[in-house]
Amino acid sequence: MNRKTWLITGASSGLGKALAEYVLARGDQAVLAASSTASTTELASRYPETALALKLDVTDSEHRVNGVRTALDRFGAIDILVNNAAIDFIGGLEEQDESDYRRLFEVNFFGAVALTREVLPSMRHRRAGVIVNVSSMDGFASLPANGYYSASKFALEGFTEALWQEIEPLGLHAMVIQPGSFRTGIEHRTKSSGQPIEDYAATAGAFRQILADITPEMFPGDPTKAADAIYASATSSQPRHWVILGSDAQRRIGVKLDQLRAEFDAGKDLALSTDFPGSAENAVL
């Protein structure tokens, strides 16, 4: 049996929890990492031989070091790291409190980066391993009132794109997961930040109101099907780099790609006009 060992952050809720349940049901081993073990302990108790509930705040360096060491001591290897832990605050870019958007980046970006760096040495040593960074459709197509969340995911995607170019020659892989809206109860975990400014009532304010009125039925995504798709992608013999999940994500990202292509084509002459004459053939990249 080719059993894999997963380390999944944010495993106490959302897609992280759905994925943890899925991989354990498939017979794989899983380290269920979360800032609180209140939820993960119950799941781990159902799989005492293959699951480990681990208290791991991704923003805490001691937690990261001890967490990876504990995982390696228990299972011998980490085959797949899933950086899923994330938080979100809703509000206009001028409205949100600085402490909130800095905390958001610490969890969504810097925490994922630091944990990846902690896991990579053992993967490099074995010349095997997969890094799965969970982004969002918002990590490619931003919206008003969610700009800081999008920025953190844009950063994660840029990091991952460089990462796979560095590690694939070593036999390792990295990928970005871009989910749309899934029925994970995220509407109850997402918080508003700062005081609304009237000038943004039609943009950020409208998005705040949508969040206030949202119901699970407005989210098309099935978390179990997402878990199945992530599992298949991470364990594929030919892993993809970008994995879009959900009809809404497919639609929004498609619209953004069309917009980018139109802007790209329209700006070609301007782009070429800014070179020194005859210098293009000597470009580094």
Side-chain angles (χ1 to χ4, degrees), residues 42-239:
E42 188 279 327
L43 176 58
S45 69
R46 288 187 264 143
Y47 299 91
E49 301 300 319
T50 56
L52 171 65
L54 185 68
K55 182 177 175 62
L56 198 163
D57 179 345
V58 297
T59 68
D60 187 306
S61 60
E62 186 174 349
H63 277 211
R64 294 191 300 265
V65 171
N66 292 339
V68 171
R69 182 183 299 121
T70 300
L72 293 175
D73 288 346
R74 170 70 184 273
F75 295 120
I78 297 170
D79 298 301
I80 302 169
L81 169 64
V82 182
N83 285 309
N84 170 74
I87 60 174
D88 192 6
F89 291 99
I90 295 297
L93 296 170
E94 187 183 349
E95 295 170 343
Q96 289 198 35
D97 295 331
E98 182 176 352
S99 60
D100 288 337
Y101 63 73
R102 285 187 177 276
R103 171 67 179 169
L104 184 151
F105 262 86
E106 288 295 334
V107 175
N108 297 6
F109 178 67
F110 290 112
V113 168
L115 191 57
T116 297
R117 287 166 54 92
E118 196 65 42
V119 168
L120 276 175
S122 65
M123 288 186 171
R124 283 192 294 104
H125 178 73
R126 295 186 300 112
R127 290 298 194 262
V130 178
I131 308 293
V132 179
N133 286 335
V134 180
S135 178
S136 167
M137 60 181 174
D138 292 7
F140 189 81
S142 191
L143 287 173
N146 217 20
Y148 290 115
Y149 176 81
S150 288
S152 71
K153 294 300 190 177
F154 270 60
L156 185 63
E157 294 203 10
F159 168 80
T160 311
E161 189 171 338
L163 178 65
W164 71 57
Q165 295 175 73
E166 294 178 0
I167 67 176
E168 284 184 355
L170 307 178
L172 312 182
H173 298 281
M175 66 178 63
V176 168
I177 307 294
Q178 297 171 314
S181 303
F182 282 78
R183 297 181 190 179
T184 62
I186 191 172
E187 68 275 16
H188 302 302
R189 299 190 299 274
T190 301
K191 302 175 182 178
S192 293
S193 176
Q195 294 300 313
I197 297 173
E198 182 60 31
D199 283 343
Y200 300 125
T203 53
F207 196 86
R208 283 180 186 259
Q209 190 57 52
I210 288 172
L211 184 66
D213 297 337
I214 208 162
T215 62
E217 292 73 23
M218 298 169 72
F219 291 165
D222 180 336
T224 302
K225 292 180 179 179
D228 178 68
I230 295 170
Y231 187 96
S233 299
T235 59
S236 170
S237 59
Q238 295 182 306

